[in-house]
């Protein structure tokens, strides 16, 4: 097997990471391999056995050209600053440049302790590994910016959590693993020089067009905020709750990073929280835009020494950019909502229309995902799916009327509108009850349900008759649902 590594972070950012090594797994066994992603990354596995693939993506055998390292980072966790976090259970093997020139980190997650592990074991259990694999691939298929999953390998070891679980390693592919927390670490411990170097590296890697800006660090802040606004709007649009929006889990690339206690909402409720540790609902569904704003303020603080070094007057600019986050988010969110509702042009009544919708969805406990597909069916002249969702047939009659008026006003072809809605409103998401059942089976040695579910969520928008059961909300007997942190 050949991976064409080109390790820019390792080679040019000495002092920003700690060299590290994977622990030896007892008996690696391949659970899943993402052939399409491997092909895209030009990872040549022709002739490689599953055993050989498992050895590499469990950390047993270091591939040629790898320079394994752990990233240093800090972060605000639930609002409190932890000056020293870092990759405690992750190991960067190296970077690969895809045919289109895009650069990707190839990282093992769960391959044993690093210099940043503190009291942790650096290991990962099979459940969370397969959960991240599944959910990240589902997000990618929905078009949500995200890290990807290349491989899942069982290690043959037992990992002790609240009880012992089979261990596993996830291979994560990311545009980079530079986080808000990475900037915070170097701002807190090293000062302006290091922040400038990290910012320059980030710009060069992710946003080379910003290098010529009058103040590139200010431009970086602006760009990252734009990406985060788009990302969180996308999350809300598919009912996704990240669960741990700590600043160490916010990638400056704008990709969804670190799938821990994340989950998708079934019935709409703006305060939905799944994470067992989020007792105050800090990261509830509807709070995600505010938290993103808060995280971007922390990013601005970390970048300030660099921004100031170019021009002290730009500090005021940075403040203004952060202050404008709610407005910018609203724009991204409204655009997404219009697409979901099949609306072509914006209107000053949009805010009322959307508020009214969320009120009604919550009042009637409507399944968020099914609802938008049912609306499209209504445009096709079939009101059965919507009626089936609403306990009282006329429950949302006035809202539906208003929405239909907006659609009709645009004088567009209804079939075309319905198709456009179906292209942005997923039919198949990783439903919590199905994810749990798949993970339970996998832990007991049967990968079948997990593979089937993965195949379904890789095609979120196209309706298939034999996938009917995957579109259904959880049965009444399921829940309340709780998710747990930690891989
Ligand atoms: P997370 O909640 O996944 O964002 O992780 C927060 C921090 O805890 C990161 O620095 C992780 O590397 C570290 N961490 C989480 N689990 C472990 C573990 N099992 N062993 C070592 N470090 C860990
Ligand atoms: Mg994390």
């Amino acid at each position: 097997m050949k991976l064409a590594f080109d390790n820019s972070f390792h080679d040019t950012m000495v002092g920003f990471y700690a060299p590290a090594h994977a622990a030896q797994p007892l008996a690696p066994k391949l659970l899943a391999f993402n052939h399409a992603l491997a092909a895209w990354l030009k990872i040549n596995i022709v002739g490689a056995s599953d055993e050989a693939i498992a050895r590499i993506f469990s950390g047993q055998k270091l591939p040629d050209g790898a320079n394994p390292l752990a990233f240093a980072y800090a972060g605000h966790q639930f609002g409190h600053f932890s000056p020293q976090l870092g990759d405690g259970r992750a190991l960067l093997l190296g970077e690969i440049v895809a045919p289109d020139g895009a650069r990707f980190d190839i990282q093992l997650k769960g391959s044993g302790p690093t210099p940043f592990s503190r009291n942790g074991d650096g290991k990962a259990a099979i459940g969370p590994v397969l959960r991240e694999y599944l959910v990240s691939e589902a997000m990618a298929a929905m078009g949500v910016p995200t890290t990807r999953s290349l491989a899942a390998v069982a290690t043959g070891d037992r990992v002790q959590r609240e009880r012992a679980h089979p261990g596993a390693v996830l291979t994560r592919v990311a545009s980079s693993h530079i986080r808000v927390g990475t900037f915070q670490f170097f701002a807190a411990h090293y000062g302006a020089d290091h922040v400038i170097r990290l910012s320059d590296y980030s710009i060069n890697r992710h946003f080379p067009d910003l290098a010529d800006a009058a103040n590139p660090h200010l431009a970086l802040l602006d760009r990252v905020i734009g990406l985060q606004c788009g990302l969180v709007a996308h999350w809300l649009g598919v009912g996704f709750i990240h669960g741990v929006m700590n600043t160490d889990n916010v990638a400056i690339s704008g990709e969804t990073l670190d799938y821990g206690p994340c989950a998708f909402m079934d019935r709409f409720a703006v305060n939905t929280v799944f994470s067992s540790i989020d007792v105050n609902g800090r990261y509830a569904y509807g709070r995600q835009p505010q938290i993103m704003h808060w995280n971007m303020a922390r990013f601005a603080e970390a970048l300030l020494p660099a921004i100031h070094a170019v021009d002290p007057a730009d500090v005021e600019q940075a403040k203004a950019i952060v202050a404008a986050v709610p407005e910018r988010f609203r724009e991204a969110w409204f655009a997404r909502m219009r697409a979901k509702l099949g609306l072509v042009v914006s209107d000053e009544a949009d805010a009322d229309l959307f508020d009214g919708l969320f009120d009604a969805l919550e009042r009637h406990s409507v399944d968020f995902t099914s609802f938008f597909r049912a609306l499209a069916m209504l445009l096709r002249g079939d009101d059965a799916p919507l009626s089936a969702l609403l306990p009282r047939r006329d429950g949302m009659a006035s809202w539906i009327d208003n929405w239909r008026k907006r659609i009709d006003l645009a004088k567009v072809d209804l079939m075309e509108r319905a198709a456009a809605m179906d292209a942005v409103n997923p039919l198949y998401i990783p439903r919590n009850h199905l994810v749990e059942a798949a993970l339970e089976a996998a832990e007991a040695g049967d990968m079948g349900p997990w593979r089937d579910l993965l195949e379904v969520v890789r095609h979120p928008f196209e309706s298939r008759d034999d996938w009917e059961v995957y579109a259904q909300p959880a049965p009444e007997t399921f829940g309340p649902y709780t998710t747990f942190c930690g891989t």
Side-chain angles (χ1 to χ4, degrees):
M1 184 179 353
K2 181 104 189 62
L3 291 91
F5 285 118
D6 175 18
N7 303 332
S8 69
F9 200 87
H10 173 272
D11 295 347
T12 66
M13 298 296 282
V14 174
F16 286 74
Y17 59 83
H21 291 281
Q24 280 296 310
L26 195 64
K29 182 169 168 284
L30 191 63
L31 296 172
F33 190 71
N34 193 336
H35 288 272
L37 183 59
W40 155 247
L41 291 170
K42 291 265 188 281
I43 297 174
N44 186 356
I45 59 155
V46 176
S49 62
D50 280 6
E51 289 73 24
I53 296 173
R55 277 195 292 276
I56 292 211
F57 295 111
S58 63
Q60 189 176 61
K61 184 181 180 300
L62 192 66
D64 291 343
N67 296 118
L69 63 84
F71 289 105
Y73 54 84
H76 275 90
Q77 301 182 299
F78 289 89
H80 303 286
F81 188 59
S82 300
Q84 167 86 60
L85 293 168
D87 283 337
R89 55 170 165 186
L91 187 72
L92 181 75
L93 289 180
E95 301 157 28
I96 290 183
V97 180
D100 69 349
R103 181 177 287 276
F104 292 98
D105 279 3
I106 310 294
Q107 190 190 55
L108 304 182
K109 206 171 161 187
S111 60
T114 74
F116 302 116
S117 294
R118 291 164 292 161
N119 297 322
D121 59 5
K123 301 281 175 75
I126 186 173
V129 162
L130 290 177
R131 190 183 161 78
E132 169 154 357
Y133 193 125
L134 184 88
V135 179
S136 63
E137 288 306 297
M139 293 284 267
M142 287 183 225
V144 183
T146 178
T147 62
R148 302 288 306 273
S149 296
L150 179 64
V153 181
T155 57
D157 301 307
R158 305 291 287 177
V159 174
Q160 190 61 39
R161 294 292 178 258
E162 61 295 344
R163 60 182 174 84
H165 297 271
V169 172
L170 177 78
T171 302
R172 179 159 73 180
V173 175
S175 284
S176 87
H177 286 87
I178 301 171
R179 310 142 189 266
V180 168
T182 318
F183 280 84
Q184 291 182 293
F185 181 87
F186 291 100
H189 301 296
Y190 293 84
D193 286 359
H194 277 69
V195 176
I196 290 168
R197 270 187 67 198
L198 184 62
S199 178
D200 286 344
Y201 175 89
S202 303
I203 289 167
N204 185 37
R205 176 159 174 173
H206 292 290
F207 319 112
D209 60 304
L210 303 183
D212 300 328
N215 189 336
H217 314 299
L218 183 71
L220 176 67
L221 174 67
D222 182 66
R223 180 67 57 86
V224 170
I225 283 177
L227 291 172
Q228 285 295 321
C229 288
L231 179 67
V232 173
H234 221 144
W235 287 355
L236 296 197
V238 295
F240 178 76
I241 301 164
H242 182 283
V244 240
M245 288 176 72
N246 294 336
T247 56
D248 52 301
N249 292 335
V250 179
I252 60 143
S253 65
E255 289 175 347
T256 310
L257 175 70
D258 263 6
Y259 291 86
C262 64
F264 290 82
M265 188 168 57
D266 275 6
R267 299 163 182 285
F268 184 84
V270 76
N271 291 328
T272 303
V273 174
F274 293 115
S275 169
S276 63
I277 57 168
D278 192 1
V279 284
N280 296 318
R282 178 179 169 89
Y283 300 138
Y285 172 82
R287 279 186 58 98
Q288 295 181 115
Q290 277 160 273
I291 293 293
M292 179 272 295
H293 184 192
W294 193 87
N295 287 343
M296 289 301 98
R298 304 292 78 75
F299 184 45
E301 280 165 11
L303 266 175
L304 274 192
I307 292 170
H308 186 273
V310 174
D311 183 351
D314 286 343
V315 170
E316 285 309 311
Q317 272 284 102
K319 283 189 199 160
I321 291 172
V322 172
V325 167
E327 221 173 284
R328 237 167 131 174
F329 171 76
R330 202 174 125 108
E331 221 169 275
W333 172 229
F334 278 23
R336 188 146 294 281
M337 277 309 296
R338 278 193 294 276
K340 286 180 75 65
L341 292 172
L343 305 175
V344 191
V345 288
S346 64
D347 186 287
E348 54 186 27
D350 279 351
D352 287 342
L353 187 73
F354 304 156
D355 284 352
L357 171 61
F358 292 112
D359 276 355
L361 290 179
E362 179 137 13
R363 206 166 46 244
H364 299 289
S365 274
V366 182
D367 182 71
F368 185 69
T369 302
S370 310
F371 177 78
F372 295 92
R373 300 290 295 206
L375 277 188
M377 290 310 287
L378 209 56
L379 293 188
R380 296 186 178 103
D382 180 359
D383 71 353
L386 189 68
S387 304
L389 281 179
L390 292 170
R392 285 204 348 259
R393 218 188 127 73
D394 59 349
M396 289 182 67
S398 69
W399 186 89
I400 301 280
D401 276 352
N402 283 336
W403 167 73
R404 263 316 287 259
K405 276 188 203 125
R406 278 289 300 280
I407 293 272
D408 292 339
L409 220 62
K411 303 210 178 0
V412 286
D413 180 75
L414 292 185
M415 295 305 129
E416 234 170 70
R417 273 300 86 201
M421 289 170 72
D422 280 357
V424 296
N425 293 319
L427 173 59
Y428 308 115
I429 56 164
R431 297 266 180 189
N432 300 325
H433 63 296
L434 299 175
V435 173
E436 284 312 304
L439 297 185
E440 215 171 282
E443 182 147 356
D446 176 11
M447 289 293 290
W450 183 86
R451 280 199 199 105
D452 292 345
L453 183 55
L454 178 65
E455 176 62 14
V456 172
V457 298
R458 277 191 165 144
H459 303 89
F461 302 114
E462 28 171 303
S463 174
R464 294 199 198 172
D465 290 343
D466 49 337
W467 286 354
E468 171 76 34
V469 59
Y470 292 96
Q472 299 302 319
E476 293 293 341
T477 49
F478 181 82
Y481 188 53
T482 305
T483 55
F484 300 91
C485 257
T487 315

